[in-house]
Amino acid sequence: MLERPQIEQVRRFNRTITERVGVLHDHYLGRDRPIGEARLLWEIGERGSDVRRLRERLGLDSGYVSRLLRALETAGLVTVEPLPSDKRVRTVRLTGAGRTELDELDRRSDEMAGSLLEPLNTSQRARLVSALAEAERLLTAGTVSLDPVDPDHPDAQHCLRSFFAELGERLDTGFDPARSLLPDAGELRAPRGVFLVARLHGEPVGCAGLKLPADAPAEVKRMWVSPATRGLGLARRFLTELEARAAGHGYDTLRLDTNKVLTEAIRLYHAYGFTEVPAFNAEPYAHHWFEKRITAGEPV
């Protein structure tokens, strides 16, 4: 349950920051466009982008993005063209004038950031920068979605391939999926299980599966978080979601296994309330087995 003082503090911060950085004006940073158009130029960048990625990255609906792009096209700052290899995909690139405008936006943005820091003393600057870094981390964590998908979905397969590749690099013995007790995809589909994918700005950044066998405790399988998004609390969030789903199916025990080199995971499991138990399977890559008693809910 959110507390009222927390809500009020967030709202005060929103009012302060929007006023201080000038997003209330139609001429952001003194240029002839609002912040929405400027933000789109930054996201397009020197490498360009496809329209779908812009929508997902910024969390904007297609109609609004189209209006922003039309304004930028009319100003001669971008070109929007179909991808030669797939006419269904529209790509956006900066023109020469667009690159010049982006350089000017960068210069003015640097000046604006400096104006926030300059009035402060050295200690205050360090505190502000540290607080902003923490706020960015937490706000980023809040934008990650956990979505149930089919284990054969491309995003699920991307995460699993990345997971297996990391295991291959970290494990002393390497990792061969053919030797591991990998669950069959059917074991991670309803009603026998579930497979979750974490997405940040539409891109897959983690996964976790849950087996719901008829004659054994619920079991967490193949939990992985992208190195780029570690520190956002996604692994704990996966465990919380999977525990809730297991409890909702009437299970009172959640278990998992892991390799000895995955020390971060082992620390997390201990902190989350798991207890080490004797081996409950013959997984050749496992050195530690854990269980946690959970409160079973009504079967669903």
Side-chain angles (χ1 to χ4, degrees), residues 157-203:
Q157 290 298 305
H158 166 80
C159 290
L160 289 173
R161 286 193 301 271
S162 300
F163 181 36
F164 298 159
E166 182 174 348
L167 290 178
E169 294 174 356
R170 295 189 62 180
L171 271 56
D172 297 337
T173 58
F175 182 76
D176 179 4
R179 291 188 60 226
S180 179
L181 297 181
L182 290 171
D184 178 77
E187 296 179 276
L188 300 177
R189 294 190 183 106
R192 299 171 60 193
V194 66
F195 195 82
L196 302 177
V197 166
R199 293 186 175 102
L200 176 61
H201 306 311
E203 299 297 326

Side-chain angles (χ1 to χ4, degrees), residues 187-230:
E187 296 179 276
L188 300 177
R189 294 190 183 106
R192 299 171 60 193
V194 66
F195 195 82
L196 302 177
V197 166
R199 293 186 175 102
L200 176 61
H201 306 311
E203 299 297 326
V205 295
C207 64
L210 179 70
K211 289 175 58 177
L212 299 170
D215 56 354
E219 186 174 354
V220 177
K221 302 297 294 183
R222 305 311 173 203
M223 188 169 74
W224 172 81
V225 174
S226 165
T229 53
R230 287 173 191 169

Side-chain angles (χ1 to χ4, degrees), residues 6 19 49 64 96 98 132 134 136 141 149 159 189 236 238 244 253 262 265 267 279:
Q6 294 175 324
E19 177 184 355
S49 178
Y64 184 54
L132 291 175
E134 177 70 358
E136 180 186 17
V149 303
C159 290
R189 294 190 183 106
R236 181 176 286 270
F238 270 130
T253 302
L262 303 179
R267 286 196 299 270

Side-chain angles (χ1 to χ4, degrees), residues 69-87:
L69 289 176
R70 281 197 299 271
L72 294 175
E73 275 191 292
T74 300
L77 302 180
V78 303
T79 59
V80 183
E81 299 174 342
L83 189 68
S85 59
D86 187 347
K87 300 298 183 182

